[in-house]
Amino acid sequence: MRLGLYGLLGLILVCQTIRAQRPASRITISGYVREMGSQEALIGVNVYVPGTNTGTVTNTYGFYSLTLPVQDSTRLAYSFVGYETVSRTVSLRTNRTITIDLTPGQVLTEVNVNAGPTGEKVSESAQMSVIDVPIAQVKKIPAFLGEKDVLKVIQLMPGVQKGSEGQTGIYVRGGGPDQNLIILDDAVVYNASHLFGFFSVFNGDAIKSVELIKGGFPARYGGRLSSVIELNLKDGNREKLHGEGGIGLISSRLTLEGPLTKSKKGGRSPGSFLISGRRTYLDILAAPLINAETRGQTKIGYYFYDLNAKANYDLGDKDKLFLSGYFGRDKFHSRDNVENADTDLSWGNATATLRWNHLFNQKLFSNTSLIFSDYKFQISSVERGALDNQLYSLQYNSGIRDFSLKYDLDYYPSPEHSVRAGIQGTYHRFTPSAVVLQNSAISQFNSNVSTIDVAEAGVYVEDTWRPSSRWRVNGGLRLSYFKQKAVGYVRPEPRLSGAYMLKPDLSLKASYALMNQYVHLLSNTGIGLPTDLWVPTTDRVKPQQSQQVAVGIAKDFVEKGLTLTVEGYYKKMNNIINYKEGASFLLINDPTSANSVRWEDNVTAGRGWSYGAEFLLQKKVGRFSGWAGYTLSWTQWQFAELNNGAPYYPRYDRRHDVSLVGIYELNKRITLSATWVYGTGNALTMPLSSYDAYRPGTAFSYNDAKQIIQKIFQNSRVVEDYGTQKNSFRAEAYHRFDVSVQFHKQKKHHERTWEVSIYNLYNRRNPYFYRLESVTATATEPSRTALFRYSVFPIVPSVSYMFKF
């Protein structure tokens, strides 16, 4: 890692030398692009010279740099989806700093959208397998119970398979949920779900941007195999106090943002803040119903809350500080007065990021981040025995805590090159489990599992290069490092993606990426509780690794504001892990064997592969917007100790997946939207039959054969025969249709919106799980065993109220 740091310092020195020796025939225009009215930094704004192939885009902090030949003047254009394009004539005699404010614009009439030769054109980007969804669209799409959810929208994209009905689980191109790197302001979020997976932890009112990368990964990202989901919080309004919020059926939210200090007349504050909170009131609404049903004998409560906060301050023209954080928690409590038992369940995330931006010169931009991330899951159960009056206490804890230091450089030597380099180190502390069983009779079984400390690091360099008017290339190399006790790994990760312009607005693209993953998620295969266990690579469990190749075409229909991408991919995964048959995390610390059993004894390593094709037609602007996506894919896993060593389809392998999303601005006061989704059913392991089996261990002696048979049946239990093939049963196809209508009204000092939405409009009974059950005999049919399908959500209407001021 020392070598990587020296390399970065050397790059800075080279950059300074290049600057000192810059030919007089070229000058640099640099600056920031912000939103008019709030001074929010805008990410991914296109800055270009109209009529040429010369251009660049703003980085995560709204900074851009463009080097051009010396001349009297030229015209620069600044364009971004959802904002009015700005053109400005600038002198090119000396280096200049130009900061631009873009005005948000809502297009309600069908007009030709012409962003210019390099404006918002997917065909000219070297990257592929990248999808971004404007937050404005996220807020208009029909949502379950009115909760606007970024991850639910990502599930509607091709290549992304959703989990069970209503859940936020994400499975990208055959990978598991642990193979997605979810980043919020540089901090890793390990569990992104509320309400047992039905909602995500991300409050859409506080999010500025979201981007999904599912292949062709740039070298700056590492540590996961399947995808990167990068989210950035809003910085906060620098000009005036602003707020927005909403009241729904199960939760309410409020966001406030404004300047940190009073700004001068006609100017802006050097800093701003944002604070956003959300809480559900399910515990309040459900309590009377539960008490009435159980007559007060059982009390059950559940709620979740989350809080986002951010502050930033300009220390000068070249230095900026950002401090942001997230804290969220889910809590479930059950009190059984009959059984005299208490159960508490809680899980949540906490993150904090301190960032320092420094501008060395007009071509060299740096960011230093100090990052904290913490995920905890806890179960507490206390029960008093009815016979012995002994107190039984069970505690289970699982978690992962990270401390990270990250340093990144953005260097813009010329319009043909955009170089990024950086280094990151992370200290992980894992708490795989800790069980305490307190009872005076069996106190000898008390046990606690020690924490596991590991180190992970990476150094990278990448370059986005335009060697000619037809070629766009992004090449890079990441060197990853992992250390756990005596085990260490140093692995290179080459990345390459490129586009060849077949003709204007049409390109052929290809990419290759090798990824390594040093943390693993042991996930239970059942429904419900987030009892997932994060564990590190050890001397017995190797790092996961994937290689992915993708090819495709990208087409821009500029006049219609449409983009079309068609991609085919093949991904191979090695050393993926899974539980052995019959194993689960609860066996890791069984009180009778905790001192001799390690979690590694319960897992097996294998391999997997996935391939398929994806189609996406997307429209981000205009009176009518939305997208149509289709995925055709195959995914198989193979483990020596599962399914007799034969390959099998994992649960979320889906042959076909379709999503149609439409948003229509009827007028300034009414917005209509609808979604329709279809997916091939999940691959499940179902019992082939069930029978009664004698439970041994009870001694008896009878002379009467009838009494013997009766005793056998009294000591028998139902056994289900699953056969030898894993996941050989296919559930019924999943599909549903959601609609919503929003009614907007602009008041003098605020704007309010009423939304009426219907989830699953035609009341499709989608399968949630299946179970074999006995059917009682009738006069015409004998008793039999049948397979029953259970559904969770029928048609679900909801009403919500949103406001801005």
Side-chain angles (χ1 to χ4, degrees):
M1 289 299 96
R2 230 184 261 165
L3 182 61
L5 182 58
Y6 291 155
L8 290 180
L9 293 175
L11 178 59
I12 294 175
L13 293 175
V14 170
C15 294
Q16 297 288 13
T17 303
I18 292 174
R19 184 192 179 210
Q21 298 175 352
R22 181 184 65 243
S25 60
R26 302 174 75 87
I27 61 95
T28 300
I29 305 293
S30 65
Y32 293 86
V33 181
R34 303 186 177 99
E35 181 184 70
M36 177 74 73
S38 69
Q39 296 299 298
E40 184 84 34
L42 297 178
I43 304 170
V45 176
N46 292 274
V47 184
Y48 58 95
V49 179
T52 71
N53 290 314
T54 301
T56 187
V57 295
T58 58
N59 67 7
T60 305
Y61 305 94
F63 176 77
Y64 74 94
S65 176
L66 190 59
T67 299
L68 300 168
V70 171
Q71 53 186 291
D72 289 336
S73 65
T74 191
R75 195 160 188 81
L76 287 182
Y78 301 78
S79 64
F80 190 51
V81 171
Y83 291 78
E84 296 180 4
T85 299
V86 171
S87 295
R88 177 170 295 187
T89 300
V90 297
S91 171
L92 296 182
R93 287 297 180 183
T94 59
N95 293 338
R96 298 191 61 185
T97 299
I98 301 176
T99 294
I100 295 293
D101 293 344
L102 296 185
T103 303
Q106 187 178 33
V107 181
L108 293 183
T109 57
E110 292 300 335
V111 297
N112 291 338
V113 181
N114 192 339
T118 59
E120 304 144 15
K121 296 177 69 174
V122 68
S123 60
E124 291 198 346
S125 172
Q127 291 297 135
M128 65 182 303
S129 308
V130 178
I131 298 175
D132 69 276
V133 181
I135 295 299
Q137 279 192 335
V138 173
K139 294 183 177 182
K140 296 172 184 176
I141 294 173
F144 179 60
L145 293 176
E147 289 292 315
K148 303 302 181 182
D149 198 320
V150 171
L151 293 191
K152 289 286 185 66
V153 174
I154 288 177
Q155 287 180 341
L156 299 173
M157 294 299 176
V160 181
Q161 310 295 343
K162 62 184 83 49
S164 300
E165 168 79 82
Q167 297 197 353
T168 57
I170 290 179
Y171 301 79
V172 179
R173 291 184 172 177
D178 64 320
Q179 295 177 4
N180 305 310
L181 179 63
I182 303 177
I183 308 171
L184 179 66
D185 274 3
D186 276 348
V188 175
V189 178
Y190 284 95
N191 188 303
S193 67
H194 279 316
L195 192 59
F196 305 100
F198 289 108
F199 302 111
S200 80
V201 301
F202 304 114
N203 183 348
D205 291 345
I207 299 296
K208 175 168 62 175
S209 67
V210 56
E211 183 179 65
L212 167 68
I213 305 174
K214 51 188 178 175
F217 304 96
R220 59 186 178 274
Y221 299 112
R224 298 294 188 274
L225 301 189
S226 293
S227 78
V228 177
I229 302 174
E230 184 172 15
L231 304 102
N232 291 281
L233 291 174
K234 294 179 180 177
D235 295 332
N237 196 309
R238 292 190 177 219
E239 296 189 353
K240 59 182 178 180
L241 182 66
H242 172 72
E244 63 180 304
I247 302 172
L249 292 181
I250 65 167
S251 70
S252 292
R253 61 189 187 275
L254 177 64
T255 300
L256 293 175
E257 55 181 311
L260 282 176
T261 60
K262 193 171 182 180
S263 58
K264 298 179 181 179
K265 187 176 181 180
R268 67 186 188 95
S269 170
S272 62
F273 74 91
L274 175 139
I275 184 166
S276 180
R278 177 175 58 164
R279 191 194 191 277
T280 184
Y281 24 77
L282 275 175
D283 50 338
I284 301 172
L285 297 176
L289 299 176
I290 295 173
N291 289 333
E293 180 69 23
T294 64
R295 298 179 181 178
Q297 295 176 344
T298 301
K299 294 183 178 180
I300 299 175
Y302 168 83
Y303 66 91
F304 71 77
Y305 62 89
D306 50 46
L307 177 70
N308 290 280
K310 189 171 184 176
N312 65 91
Y313 195 83
D314 293 351
L315 301 177
D317 293 336
K318 294 188 175 183
D319 296 279
K320 304 176 188 296
L321 282 180
F322 299 83
L323 177 62
S324 59
Y326 166 84
F327 182 80
R329 187 72 58 189
D330 287 66
K331 289 184 175 290
F332 173 83
H333 175 75
S334 174
R335 168 67 179 173
D336 191 330
N337 293 317
V338 177
E339 299 292 337
N340 200 16
D342 279 287
T343 300
D344 289 283
L345 176 71
S346 69
W347 69 94
N349 301 272
T351 71
T353 307
L354 176 63
R355 291 181 287 183
W356 167 40
N357 290 176
H358 178 67
L359 190 62
F360 287 96
N361 54 56
Q362 288 188 301
K363 294 185 178 182
L364 185 60
F365 178 96
S366 72
N367 178 72
T368 306
S369 299
L370 183 62
I371 309 161
F372 169 79
S373 179
D374 186 36
Y375 168 67
K376 291 181 180 178
F377 170 71
Q378 298 174 316
I379 297 177
S380 174
S381 181
V382 179
E383 181 177 354
R384 187 173 295 278
L387 298 178
D388 55 10
N389 203 34
Q390 291 284 345
L391 187 66
Y392 297 85
S393 176
L394 175 66
Q395 299 285 336
Y396 174 82
N397 299 278
S398 173
I400 178 172
R401 176 179 295 177
D402 293 349
F403 292 94
S404 301
L405 181 62
K406 184 169 175 275
Y407 185 68
D408 299 287
L409 291 170
D410 291 3
Y411 177 51
Y412 308 90
S414 70
E416 292 77 28
H417 290 274
S418 177
V419 181
R420 292 191 178 189
I423 188 170
Q424 178 176 1
T426 301
Y427 168 79
H428 300 285
R429 167 161 286 186
F430 293 84
T431 309
S433 61
V435 176
V436 180
L437 180 61
Q438 296 174 339
N439 185 291
S440 58
I442 53 174
S443 59
Q444 66 269 25
F445 294 133
N446 288 1
S447 64
N448 286 283
V449 174
S450 302
T451 58
I452 303 173
D453 296 330
V454 302
E456 182 178 357
V459 59
Y460 75 90
V461 61
E462 65 178 81
D463 183 15
T464 300
W465 178 36
R466 295 187 178 187
S468 71
S469 61
R470 288 184 176 270
W471 282 99
R472 309 286 185 272
V473 179
N474 179 278
L477 178 65
R478 183 181 184 89
L479 190 66
S480 62
Y481 170 80
F482 178 85
K483 178 71 175 177
Q484 195 265 332
K485 292 184 178 179
V487 180
Y489 293 92
V490 178
R491 291 190 169 181
E493 301 176 7
R495 317 285 174 79
L496 181 65
S497 62
Y500 179 75
M501 303 298 299
L502 299 172
K503 60 181 182 178
D505 306 327
L506 177 64
S507 65
L508 176 66
K509 294 190 176 187
S511 67
Y512 168 80
L514 186 150
M515 309 285 281
N516 290 287
Q517 181 169 330
Y518 299 102
V519 298
H520 318 280
L521 180 66
L522 296 178
S523 180
N524 59 343
T525 57
I527 307 167
L529 304 183
T531 51
D532 296 333
L533 186 68
W534 286 97
V535 292
T537 292
T538 67
D539 56 335
R540 295 171 57 186
V541 177
K542 295 181 179 180
Q544 300 180 59
Q545 187 177 82
S546 74
Q547 296 186 71
Q548 183 176 166
V549 178
V551 295
I553 61 170
K555 169 67 176 175
D556 289 282
F557 301 90
V558 178
E559 293 183 354
K560 297 181 179 180
L562 292 169
T563 61
L564 171 67
T565 58
V566 180
E567 297 183 6
Y569 70 91
Y570 178 84
K571 180 166 69 174
K572 184 178 180 181
M573 299 168 284
N574 292 319
N575 300 321
I576 58 177
I577 63 172
N578 205 343
Y579 280 121
K580 296 178 181 178
E581 292 288 1
S584 79
F585 79 101
L586 289 175
L587 298 179
I588 296 171
N589 274 72
D590 188 299
T592 62
S593 59
N595 296 325
S596 60
V597 177
R598 297 173 59 183
W599 64 264
E600 294 100 318
D601 297 327
N602 291 275
V603 302
T604 179
R607 63 193 184 103
W609 53 94
S610 180
Y611 54 93
E614 300 165 4
F615 167 95
L616 177 63
L617 181 65
Q618 190 174 21
K619 190 174 189 290
K620 298 181 183 179
V621 295
R623 190 171 184 175
F624 177 78
S625 62
W627 63 88
Y630 170 70
T631 305
L632 173 67
S633 64
W634 289 262
T635 300
Q636 287 187 298
W637 290 353
Q638 186 175 25
F639 297 87
E641 299 184 57
L642 298 178
N643 200 43
N644 294 322
Y648 67 92
Y649 296 111
R651 179 183 180 92
Y652 296 107
D653 166 74
R654 287 195 179 133
R655 200 68 59 246
H656 306 280
D657 192 271
V658 181
S659 59
L660 303 176
V661 178
I663 303 169
Y664 184 65
E665 308 285 350
L666 188 62
N667 53 48
K668 290 184 178 181
R669 298 188 59 183
I670 300 177
T671 301
L672 307 175
S673 62
T675 62
W676 184 78
V677 296
Y678 172 90
T680 303
N682 292 338
L684 306 174
T685 301
M686 297 299 301
L688 302 177
S689 62
S690 64
Y691 54 88
D692 292 326
Y694 173 65
R695 180 183 300 164
T698 302
F700 62 90
S701 60
Y702 294 96
N703 296 324
D704 191 305
K706 182 178 180 180
Q707 289 181 329
I708 295 175
I709 294 173
Q710 288 177 344
K711 190 63 178 178
I712 289 176
F713 276 103
Q714 290 174 2
N715 289 274
S716 66
R717 61 188 177 93
V718 176
V719 175
E720 294 179 331
D721 178 15
Y722 286 87
T724 59
Q725 294 298 315
K726 187 176 180 65
N727 290 353
S728 59
F729 175 82
R730 279 285 175 181
E732 295 173 78
Y734 178 97
H735 56 88
R736 73 169 199 274
F737 182 54
D738 307 333
V739 297
S740 77
V741 55
Q742 294 182 346
F743 301 95
H744 312 280
K745 190 167 184 178
Q746 183 67 51
K747 298 285 190 177
K748 184 177 181 180
H749 298 294
H750 72 281
E751 176 187 347
R752 61 103 172 129
T753 300
W754 282 99
E755 179 176 14
V756 179
S757 63
I758 302 177
Y759 179 90
N760 195 8
L761 179 65
Y762 52 74
N763 200 29
R764 162 70 176 175
R765 297 287 181 168
N766 286 300
Y768 192 64
F769 67 91
Y770 292 84
R771 191 170 70 180
L772 281 178
E773 296 183 7
S774 297
V775 179
T776 306
T778 65
T780 58
E781 294 185 5
S783 61
R784 59 191 174 88
T785 299
L787 183 66
F788 282 81
R789 176 196 66 196
Y790 287 86
S791 301
V792 179
F793 298 115
I795 180 173
V796 181
S798 63
V799 179
S800 58
Y801 174 77
M802 295 166 281
F803 57 89
K804 293 182 181 180
F805 61 87

